[in-house]
Amino acid sequence: MDKKFKPQNQGEGDHESARRYNQNAEQFKKSGQVDEAAEQAKKALEGPDGATLREAEEQGKKRIAEEDPLLRRPGGGTDKI
């Protein structure tokens, strides 16, 4: 591994990733493509893949409410994986 590269794990609340996401979301909003993307999403939900897309959304929502299994590890999830 290159000694100059040092990955940074910022943990919960990764500020760098949040900053990049916000910048990209703002750039997309300013691009004028939001309405087109929304229309494409609507068509996808109404099309043959709609049921699969809705099921994937429900599965994602269920995962949000789940507890992180690493929290049950000895040491409260702080030991190395």
Side-chain angles (χ1 to χ4, degrees):
M1 179 180 250
D2 185 353
K3 291 183 180 184
K4 293 179 182 179
F5 176 75
K6 184 177 180 184
Q8 295 180 344
N9 182 352
Q10 297 180 5
E12 189 93 20
D14 178 346
H15 299 291
E16 178 63 22
S17 294
R19 184 187 62 76
R20 281 194 313 266
Y21 171 82
N22 290 337
Q23 285 178 336
N24 289 335
E26 186 65 26
Q27 183 180 4
F28 180 70
K29 183 176 88 172
K30 289 178 180 179
S31 75
Q33 297 176 325
V34 174
D35 291 336
E36 179 184 339
E39 187 61 33
Q40 288 176 353
K42 181 180 176 184
K43 287 179 181 179
L45 285 169
E46 293 171 348
D49 293 330
T52 302
L53 293 170
R54 285 187 289 281
E55 177 62 24
E57 179 183 25
E58 287 304 313
Q59 290 298 319
K61 287 179 180 179
K62 287 179 186 176
R63 297 290 309 265
I64 291 171
E66 290 178 5
E67 183 177 323
D68 186 343
L70 290 178
L71 293 177
R72 300 221 180 263
R73 292 178 62 139
T78 59
D79 41 323
K80 294 181 181 178
I81 299 175

